[in-house]
Amino acid sequence: MTVKAPRVTIEEFDRIAQDGSGFLEIYDFVTEEICYGSARMRLRYRDYHVRAGGTMAGPSIMALADFAVFAALMGTVGPVQMAVTSSLNINFLRRPVAADMIGEARIVKTTKRLAFAEVDLFTAGEDIPIAHVTSTYAIPKAVTAC
């Protein structure tokens, strides 16, 4: 089986992600790996990501999952800033502790206009997921999936 090279580097992806919205400054994501069809992202622990009870906040965890899918999609179809989330479903599997979070996204299937993905979310240093996500991204007409 031939392994395809990612269609975007981490550096290119990080430039695409700097869209002027302030999103990255709020969440402080770190792109750890982008492959063809997958990506690994980290959400660094910050006090403002912790909710009452000392657990990581669900919205921050969902943002990590969404951003990881975006990176995996760019690794698959190449740089396209206007790809957007059309659905995201999350199942929280256990209580996440207040620590760095890891999102491992993989593209399950792409069509000309849609990409379907899954994400497993972990507390850094652990191998039992804290959440599982399925997501669909809409791909602009100008981009063709392989």
Side-chain angles (χ1 to χ4, degrees), residues 113-129:
R113 299 295 305 278
L114 297 172
F116 303 92
E118 288 187 314
V119 186
D120 288 319
L121 296 147
F122 303 88
T123 300
E126 295 183 357
D127 56 2
I128 299 171

Side-chain angles (χ1 to χ4, degrees), residues 5-14 16-17 23-24 29-42 63-81 83-85 103-107 115 117-119 135 137:
R7 297 220 168 150
V8 68
T9 65
I10 289 175
E11 294 77 19
E12 289 169 326
F13 175 75
D14 287 345
I16 292 166
F23 182 77
L24 293 182
F29 295 122
V30 175
T31 308
E32 293 189 346
E33 181 179 58
I34 296 178
C35 300
Y36 185 92
S38 67
R40 179 182 167 97
M41 303 298 269
R42 177 180 295 263
L64 172 62
D66 189 44
F67 201 60
V69 171
F70 185 60
L73 179 62
M74 297 302 101
T76 305
V77 301
V80 55
Q81 190 167 16
V84 295
T85 310
E104 295 180 350
R106 63 199 157 281
I107 301 299
E118 288 187 314
V119 186
S135 180
Y137 254 72

